[in-house]
């Protein structure tokens, strides 16, 4: 419980009842909690509070969760913050959009507090496991540094959002090995996060846009690999 007491959570939702329930249950578990009733206030509070976890409603007045997430991810101090979307319904568009802007997970409403606590704990467990891995990979003309979440290509530094970086890091750690979309979802997003296979394609496309097409190859009908040839 001592460890949890250091973890800061920001809840951003326009429904006072949801804020109250989540705040009560999170504080009961030992988390330090701040709240905001819209995305604009959420971004302001996040910049000062620097939370470890942000619970972010998708459908809000003034500024929706997708735009808010984009702004949060542009704050350097929040690059390793976990962002979990809260949504009344998860349609394909909103799911792809959520992960596209840097969400780590999503939970559909009505929210069950015990399930939410489990999801938060799972994110931290997965992160702790990753931190034990090798932190720097040098492959072809890339230096992929897990400590700083940066990629250096021929002397030029490229900054990638968290999930894009983890996808590149995982594939480069296993060069010339073909992984299906399902295998990539399991290894990057985790077995307990429900994500569409198309989300992998979106992230691969974005990584290629930033580092070029010479590294991650598509194996038609199978999946993707980091190509050493």
């Amino acid at each position: 419980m001592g460890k949890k007491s250091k973890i800061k959570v920001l809840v951003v939702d326009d429904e006072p009842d949801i804020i109250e329930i989540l705040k009560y249950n999170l504080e009961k578990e030992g988390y330090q909690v701040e709240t905001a009733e819209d995305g604009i206030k959420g971004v302001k509070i996040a910049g000062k509070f620097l939370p470890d976890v942000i619970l972010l409603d998708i459908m809000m007045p003034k500024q929706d969760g997708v735009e808010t997430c984009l702004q949060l991810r542009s704050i350097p101090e929040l690059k390793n913050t976990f962002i979990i979307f809260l949504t009344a319904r998860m349609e394909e568009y909103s799911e792809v959009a959520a992960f596209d802007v840097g969400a780590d997970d999503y939970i559909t409403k009505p929210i069950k507090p015990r399930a939410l606590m489990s999801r938060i704990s799972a994110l931290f467990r997965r992160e702790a496991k990753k931190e034990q891995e090798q932190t720097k990979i040098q492959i072809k003309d890339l230096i992929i540094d897990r400590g700083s979440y940066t990629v250096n290509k021929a002397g030029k530094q490229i900054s990638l959002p968290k999930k894009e970086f983890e996808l590149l890091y995982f594939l480069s750690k296993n060069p010339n090995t073909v992984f299906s979309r399902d295998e990539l979802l399991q290894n990057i997003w985790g077995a307990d996060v429900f994500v569409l296979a198309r989300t992998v394609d979106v992230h691969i496309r974005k990584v290629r846009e930033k580092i070029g097409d010479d590294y991650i190859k598509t194996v038609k009908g199978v999946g993707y690999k980091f190509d050493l040839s």
Side-chain angles (χ1 to χ4, degrees), residues 3 24 27 41 45 47 67 81-82 84-85 87 96-98 106 108 110 113 118 127 184-186 190 197 209 214 223:
K3 186 183 176 189
Y24 170 77
E27 287 180 341
K41 285 182 184 172
I45 291 170
E67 176 59 32
T81 294
F82 295 118
I84 301 175
F85 272 118
T87 175
V96 171
Y106 70 86
T108 51
S118 295
E127 194 65 18
L184 291 171
L185 287 173
Q186 292 257 344
E209 284 170 2
D214 300 330

Side-chain angles (χ1 to χ4, degrees), residues 5-223:
S5 66
K6 297 176 186 174
I7 294 174
K8 297 191 285 187
V9 181
L10 172 62
V11 181
V12 186
D13 198 299
D14 63 319
E15 296 182 55
D17 289 352
I18 288 178
I19 283 185
E20 188 180 339
I21 290 165
L22 292 180
K23 189 172 192 294
Y24 170 77
N25 282 280
L26 287 161
E27 287 180 341
K28 195 169 73 171
E29 287 291 311
Y31 294 105
Q32 185 181 342
V33 183
E34 288 282 346
T35 65
E37 65 270 20
D38 64 62
I40 295 166
K41 285 182 184 172
V43 172
K44 284 181 183 171
I45 291 170
K48 295 174 185 173
F49 183 50
L50 301 180
D52 303 292
V53 180
I54 298 172
L55 304 177
L56 182 60
D57 187 27
I58 283 192
M59 300 298 289
M60 290 185 290
K62 295 187 183 177
Q63 182 170 287
D64 69 14
V66 171
E67 176 59 32
T68 301
C69 188
L70 264 175
Q71 292 181 18
L72 290 166
R73 284 296 184 219
S74 71
I75 299 171
E77 293 85 355
L78 300 178
K79 68 176 182 179
N80 293 326
T81 294
F82 295 118
I83 297 179
I84 301 175
F85 272 118
L86 311 175
T87 175
R89 57 201 172 107
M90 206 62 198
E91 295 171 348
E92 181 176 340
Y93 161 73
S94 54
E95 180 184 320
V96 171
F99 288 111
D100 203 14
V101 295
D104 293 286
D105 199 353
Y106 70 86
I107 292 178
T108 51
K109 296 177 179 178
I111 296 157
K112 295 172 182 165
R114 191 176 293 179
L116 174 62
M117 302 307 156
S118 295
R119 296 286 268 273
I120 293 173
S121 296
L123 287 171
F124 281 102
R125 274 198 310 275
R126 220 158 52 233
E127 194 65 18
K129 190 178 174 186
K130 285 173 186 169
E131 282 172 4
Q132 293 168 8
E133 297 175 355
Q134 174 190 359
T135 58
K136 199 178 279 190
I137 294 172
Q138 191 156 355
I139 191 164
K140 295 180 92 166
D141 61 345
L142 299 178
I143 298 171
I144 303 164
D145 187 348
R146 204 170 192 293
S148 61
Y149 274 80
T150 55
V151 178
N152 193 295
K153 180 184 177 183
K156 182 186 174 187
Q157 187 165 294
I158 301 164
S159 186
L160 298 177
K162 196 172 183 181
K163 283 291 181 279
E164 289 173 33
F165 178 89
E166 288 178 356
L167 193 52
L168 174 62
Y169 181 87
F170 179 78
L171 288 168
S172 66
K173 193 177 65 173
N174 302 281
N176 289 333
T177 305
V178 182
F179 292 95
S180 69
R181 288 172 180 82
D182 283 344
E183 287 172 321
L184 291 171
L185 287 173
Q186 292 257 344
N187 282 282
I188 309 303
W189 282 267
D192 51 345
V193 179
F194 304 103
V195 190
L196 289 169
R198 187 178 151 209
T199 302
V200 173
D201 303 333
V202 170
H203 281 70
I204 292 282
R205 175 175 55 76
K206 286 180 162 286
V207 171
R208 284 173 172 162
E209 284 170 2
K210 288 163 187 167
I211 67 168
D213 297 328
D214 300 330
Y215 306 95
I216 300 174
K217 298 295 182 186
T218 303
V219 180
K220 204 165 182 180
V222 186

